[in-house]
Amino acid sequence: MTGIGGVEMGAQAARSRALAVLRVRSRALAVALLPAAAAVILLVGGSTGHLAGGGWDVLRWVVSVLALCVLLAAAGVALVVARSRPAVTPTVTVAEESAPDLYRMVRDLADRLDVPAPSAIALTPDCDSWLEDRTHPAHGPPPAEKHHDDLAGPGGPAHRRSATAPVLVIGSPFLWWMRVGELRAVLAPVVAGTGPSAHPDIAAARRFIRGLDAAVAVASAGRRDPLSRVACAGLGWASRLLLRSCRGHAAEMERGVAAAAAERAQAVDYGLRIVAQEQVGLAYAGWDRLLTRVALPAWRMGRWPSRLDVGVVAALTELSRRDRLAEGFASRLGERPACDLLEEPGVMDEAVSLLAARLFHGGPAETGADWSPVGWEEYPEEVVDRTWRTDAARLHRVLDTLGVRRAAEGAAPGTDGPTLARVLDHLTTPDDASTARLTAGIDAQAATETEDGPGTPSADPDASRPPADDPGPSRPPHGDSDASRPPADGPDASHPVYGDSDASHPPYGDSDASRPPVDDPDAPQPPYGGPGAPQSPYGDHATPVPTTPAEDAEDDEDDLADTTARGAALAAGLTAQLAREEAEARPAGAHALSSAPGPAAGPDAALWDDRALPLLPLQPPRTGREILTAHITAMVCCAAMDTAGAAPALDWLDGPSLLFDGARTADLAPSVLSLVEAGDPGPLRAWMAELGIRPEKPVRLV
């Protein structure tokens, strides 16, 4: 009785708040009709002779024109609100034929909860699950099922639209990491939300709020001609005013829906839900580290890992072994994994992996010459090795631009290639005059790019060449053929660790700090539109404010304040080179519109706008200090591989790593930082001498 009473109380609170939202809509309609009612009174009074005279005639004309303008404006706003396409989360549709067991489990769960079953199932590349309404006409909803007892009439279409259940969106890492029973327990409070969603008042209130939200997005798009700008300004003002009036009621409505769903789901697998929520928190940790440490370097190289969900299982297994976060992990392996509910898990994993690359990095929608899949067994050679050698080639190319000698005076023949000794000597040799010249050259180059853009070459073709009296290189450095390939982080590059205070992004869709803790299985979990849904809050269409070039330059200066003058000059050159390469690669990459790839993608590509990819960038742009550290680390790793027999490897939690005799090296970062910050090569030279690395030997670059 307690659970049923809680369900009724939560549902009643949600319905009352939904009625409050609908009353705001009714008041807006009444305000729009008020001038028309005044005009009708004046016209009727004039026709009956009660309001006669010149003053009344002028007033009738003024009020009639005002009423007509208000009606036209209200009709325009209402049309945009009704026809604008609400935001839809990018997902991969799971057809029932490709996952009959999953659909059967969800339907059984809905029957046990006594709620309507979701109309479809989709996967998202994130650790979250929610319900999403896709019944708007712009989304092309499937035809509603016909019943003989349906009443025909004016309310027929609205009734069919509200009767369609929302789509159940499941985080793909849950399917590969969780067991079947754990997934069922996690989905129970989400599926229970289909009951309140079917209520006509709640459905109407949600449609109205989503329409206002979409109208704000339309108004924010902006137009070039003055008339369109004025119309968009009026539309945005009216939509935001209504959203501000509805925001509080809408939030309380969703809390009531979430409370009712949580109360109803208490009777389903209560004990297992506690264990399942622990696995949710573990999945967040592994998924975040896999994306930022493993997937991001591959994406920057133009490769996308095609088995991200398989990788998250390996990452979580390693995390459980290191940190002991999952008690009884060995016993869980004997149970049936939730991915067995799919007929072709590999096909789904590939589609979700490509969607993750698009959302978090902005990659193209289809595989091409510069955007190809990579398997985990190929990752060390195809990603780690090429990343380090590409960064090393860029480092030497910038040194050539700065006029740094390839070999020291009196060096042995054949040592004029790309060597690590060249980098060490440049960063540690104190030469105030040379440093001033290098810094001046970098400042002039940065000033030119500030005026012409990062991808615009200098007007003087000889501006970037070394002076005539400088015995610069007689040939281009190795690796010029791959100069346009985007960079990737080295094995010790600075990345935020999951749970640290410096983490650069929250999990996808977790935009509200009021999400219930993962160890509380009975906490209200909003099924759709609540704080846990990966959609913008009501009325909040604010986009991240980009920083200006002046702010970026100031941040870089602060970041490079603790480095040497030569290091700061080299970091500035690397930053400028990276900006040019990214500007050259951008037109052919992420912003092209295309259909979703793969047979498992379904019709979801037509539901969302991908003209502003990446939608959810994983990390902010790297600072000059981080870029310099990553490039020096890459050069050290190349020297270790070519002169000491080291090998590239993949660490599931830390990404690219260097192996010596099968053991991972973990003490390289402090030595590199000593060189970057203080210009002291002593720790790095000692580290290399211990492992037998010869910095004077040329290395192979791509």
Side-chain angles (χ1 to χ4, degrees):
M1 290 300 294
T2 303
I4 299 298
V7 171
E8 293 300 331
M9 290 180 59
Q12 187 63 34
R15 292 167 189 169
S16 63
R17 293 293 182 172
L19 292 176
V21 171
L22 296 179
R23 281 195 294 270
V24 172
R25 184 182 65 176
S26 301
R27 293 192 191 102
L29 179 61
V31 171
L33 295 177
L34 188 60
V40 170
I41 293 174
L42 292 175
L43 291 174
V44 172
S47 63
T48 57
H50 290 83
L51 302 176
W56 287 107
D57 292 338
V58 173
L59 183 60
R60 266 190 293 271
W61 278 104
V62 171
V63 174
S64 299
V65 171
L66 176 63
L68 181 61
C69 294
V70 171
L71 287 177
L72 290 177
V77 172
L79 183 62
V80 173
V81 170
R83 299 302 301 174
S84 295
R85 184 175 65 181
V88 174
T89 307
T91 56
V92 174
T93 299
V94 180
E96 186 170 0
E97 296 78 12
S98 61
D101 292 341
L102 180 61
Y103 273 83
R104 188 178 303 111
M105 184 194 74
V106 172
R107 290 196 180 104
D108 292 343
L109 188 60
D111 291 340
R112 184 173 177 180
L113 294 170
D114 194 21
V115 295
S119 60
I121 299 176
L123 299 182
T124 178
D126 185 47
C127 298
D128 203 354
S129 298
W130 66 90
L131 294 174
E132 188 163 274
D133 187 0
R134 296 183 178 178
T135 58
H136 193 274
H139 295 156
E145 297 181 2
K146 295 182 179 180
H147 301 281
H148 297 291
D149 56 350
D150 285 347
L151 298 178
H159 172 73
R160 288 194 300 270
R161 181 173 60 180
S162 62
T164 304
V167 175
L168 174 62
V169 181
I170 305 175
S172 62
F174 292 165
L175 285 174
W176 269 260
W177 173 245
M178 290 185 173
R179 310 295 102 178
V180 174
E182 294 171 349
L183 180 65
R184 176 187 175 93
V186 168
L187 295 181
V190 183
V191 175
T194 59
S197 299
H199 192 273
D201 294 335
I202 296 176
R206 284 176 167 174
R207 284 196 303 270
F208 177 60
I209 295 170
R210 287 196 303 269
L212 291 175
D213 199 53
V216 172
V218 171
S220 301
R223 298 295 185 270
R224 293 183 178 181
D225 55 289
L227 183 60
S228 298
R229 284 200 297 267
V230 172
C232 288
L235 173 63
W237 176 82
S239 301
R240 291 187 179 91
L241 178 62
L242 292 175
L243 278 174
R244 284 194 295 269
S245 302
C246 298
R247 181 177 298 173
H249 299 300
E252 292 299 328
M253 178 184 69
E254 296 300 343
R255 289 190 182 95
V257 170
E263 288 289 340
R264 185 178 292 273
Q266 276 189 349
V268 178
D269 301 331
Y270 178 78
L272 190 58
R273 287 173 61 192
I274 300 176
V275 179
Q277 290 297 333
E278 294 176 355
Q279 301 305 319
V280 169
L282 189 61
Y284 270 116
W287 183 248
D288 181 85
R289 295 189 66 140
L290 181 75
L291 292 181
T292 56
R293 304 295 184 91
V294 179
L296 187 58
W299 293 338
R300 287 173 173 167
M301 287 294 298
R303 308 295 296 273
W304 56 277
S306 58
R307 294 294 185 269
L308 279 181
D309 290 309
V310 173
V312 77
V313 175
L316 291 172
T317 303
E318 181 67 14
L319 186 62
S320 302
R321 184 186 66 83
R322 292 185 188 180
D323 300 338
R324 299 178 181 178
L325 295 178
E327 298 180 359
F329 173 74
S331 62
R332 293 181 66 256
L333 295 180
E335 302 175 9
R336 184 188 182 191
C339 63
D340 283 353
L341 299 174
L342 304 174
E343 291 292 322
E344 297 181 350
V347 176
M348 290 292 176
D349 194 0
E350 184 174 357
V352 173
S353 300
L354 185 52
L355 179 59
R358 302 205 69 200
L359 292 178
F360 298 114
H361 183 67
E366 297 176 354
T367 299
D370 297 329
W371 186 248
S372 57
V374 59
W376 294 125
E377 66 280 356
E378 305 169 350
Y379 188 95
E381 292 294 332
E382 295 295 330
V383 176
V384 179
D385 184 82
R386 288 183 62 85
T387 294
W388 288 342
R389 298 189 187 277
T390 300
D391 285 358
R394 185 182 299 108
L395 177 63
H396 283 278
R397 188 161 52 252
V398 173
L399 290 175
D400 291 338
T401 303
L402 298 177
V404 180
R405 294 183 179 89
R406 277 190 170 265
E409 296 182 0
T415 60
D416 59 342
T419 63
L420 177 59
R422 180 194 188 195
V423 180
L424 298 179
D425 293 341
H426 172 68
L427 292 178
T428 58
T429 301
D431 189 348
D432 296 338
S434 177
T435 299
R437 176 174 57 81
L438 293 176
T439 306
I442 290 298
D443 292 341
Q445 184 180 10
T448 302
E449 290 180 354
T450 302
E451 296 175 359
D452 300 335
T456 305
S458 173
D460 184 3
D462 296 330
S464 61
R465 297 181 182 176
D469 57 349
D470 193 324
S474 59
R475 56 186 175 86
H478 297 277
D480 283 350
S481 60
D482 262 351
S484 62
R485 191 178 294 275
D489 293 342
D492 296 293
S494 176
H495 289 294
V497 181
Y498 178 84
D500 288 351
S501 59
D502 294 333
S504 59
H505 72 287
Y508 172 49
D510 194 1
S511 59
D512 198 325
S514 62
R515 177 187 295 277
V518 296
D519 57 352
D520 187 0
D522 297 323
Q525 300 182 11
Y528 171 79
Q535 301 173 358
S536 58
Y538 298 125
D540 187 5
H541 265 279
T543 56
V545 179
T547 57
T548 62
E551 293 174 348
D552 293 338
E554 184 178 355
D555 293 340
D556 286 341
E557 290 178 0
D558 295 340
D559 181 70
L560 296 173
D562 297 332
T563 62
T564 62
R566 284 177 175 267
L570 184 56
L574 290 171
T575 303
Q577 179 67 22
L578 278 173
R580 284 193 296 269
E581 294 176 7
E582 292 174 358
E584 293 173 359
R586 189 175 300 118
H591 297 282
L593 291 174
S594 178
S595 58
D604 292 31
L607 302 182
W608 56 284
D609 187 1
D610 58 356
R611 289 174 294 181
L613 294 173
L615 298 178
L616 301 158
L618 289 178
Q619 292 178 321
R622 292 181 294 176
T623 62
R625 182 178 177 181
E626 293 173 345
I627 292 174
L628 178 60
T629 302
H631 282 72
I632 295 177
T633 301
M635 187 63 202
V636 173
C637 292
C638 290
M641 290 187 294
D642 292 347
T643 66
L650 167 63
D651 186 277
W652 290 111
L653 297 178
D654 295 326
S657 60
L658 187 68
L659 296 183
F660 272 95
D661 298 329
R664 178 191 174 195
T665 59
D667 52 353
L668 175 59
S671 303
V672 174
L673 289 177
S674 177
L675 176 64
V676 171
E677 295 175 353
D680 180 14
L684 184 57
R685 289 186 182 275
W687 181 85
M688 291 188 297
E690 181 181 356
L691 297 175
I693 301 174
R694 303 184 62 181
E696 73 279 1
K697 291 290 186 179
V699 300
R700 177 177 59 86
L701 305 179
V702 294

